[in-house]
Amino acid sequence: MKHYPFILFYLFCNVFIYAFHGGFWVYVFCFLAFSAVVVWGSFDIELGYFVNSITHKRTKTKEVALTFDDGLTEFTPKFLDILKENNIKATFFCIGKQIKKYPETFQRIIAEGHTIGNHTLSHSNTTGLLSTSKMVEQIEKCDEVMAKIGNITTNLYRPPFGVTNPNIAKAIKKLTKKASDGM
């Protein structure tokens, strides 16, 4: 995890407070600035503030990575038809509850050679507020649904709404360690 921005920001605040003799408004300013940086880091996944992420990749060939979120839905088969007609592969970040709702579509995605990613079990609006253990549970339960319905595992994960925070980072770290330990 990258802590350099946090450390640099902390040092900047301390120097700023020292330079202005630590008045009340200086502390308020530093608190607000720090809060703004944390919020920005939580909602802009490209920053990699809490979690390293792949948001773009430079290659020598011109190519596009096509991804779908929040599925499956009743429209997914139509997307699959278009992808098949044009011989295009995509990555589908799937929600466990939606996989249960559309198991045949999930199996079709796999059969047609698309890549699968985990997008949590329920894609709750409160995902960014969940504890580390609840986040681990959301990811693991989605993995279980994928394994049961599609006989597939994945190491790809996309957080709902692109929100990251220390709890999500800890959950990913726990699950990565668990996977590397072979459990």
Side-chain angles (χ1 to χ4, degrees):
M1 192 171 359
K2 299 176 189 175
H3 292 292
Y4 301 115
F6 176 75
I7 292 168
L8 288 174
F9 186 74
Y10 177 77
L11 290 172
F12 168 79
C13 283
N14 279 312
V15 169
F16 193 77
I17 289 168
Y18 180 75
F20 290 97
H21 306 292
F24 173 76
W25 291 110
V26 173
Y27 285 105
V28 169
F29 170 77
C30 285
F31 173 77
L32 291 174
F34 174 76
S35 298
V37 168
V38 170
V39 169
W40 182 24
S42 295
F43 288 97
D44 190 349
I45 198 166
E46 286 188 52
L47 292 177
Y49 192 77
F50 294 110
V51 180
N52 288 332
S53 64
I54 300 169
T55 56
H56 62 280
K57 182 178 177 183
R58 297 193 186 279
T59 63
K60 292 182 181 185
T61 59
K62 292 185 179 189
E63 57 189 355
V64 174
L66 185 59
T67 65
F68 294 92
D69 278 6
D70 307 343
L72 311 163
T73 71
E74 66 272 15
F75 302 110
T76 305
K78 292 176 185 173
F79 292 133
L80 288 169
D81 292 342
I82 294 168
L83 293 171
K84 190 173 186 175
E85 282 175 28
N86 293 284
N87 196 28
I88 297 171
K89 299 298 179 201
T91 301
F92 289 82
F93 287 91
C94 301
I95 299 167
K97 287 184 176 182
Q98 293 300 102
I99 295 170
K100 288 179 184 179
K101 190 173 180 180
Y102 302 101
E104 297 84 12
T105 304
F106 185 68
Q107 292 166 344
R108 179 180 170 193
I109 291 170
I110 296 165
E112 292 182 7
H114 299 285
T115 303
I116 300 292
N118 184 319
H119 204 44
T120 71
L121 179 68
S122 64
H123 198 287
S124 166
N125 289 338
T126 60
T127 300
L129 304 174
L130 294 178
S131 67
T132 300
S133 61
K134 291 290 185 188
M135 205 55 232
V136 166
E137 184 179 315
Q138 279 283 312
I139 296 168
E140 284 183 329
K141 289 201 184 247
C142 185
D143 282 342
E144 289 170 14
V145 170
M146 288 179 180
K148 182 179 177 185
I149 293 176
N151 195 28
I152 192 167
T153 60
T154 183
N155 63 352
L156 296 177
Y157 168 71
R158 181 177 283 174
F161 311 106
V163 173
T164 61
N165 61 37
N167 288 340
I168 292 172
K170 287 177 196 171
I172 292 169
K173 189 174 182 179
K174 276 186 176 187
L175 291 168
T176 302
K177 182 174 177 5
K178 192 174 181 180
S180 68
D181 291 345
M183 297 181 99

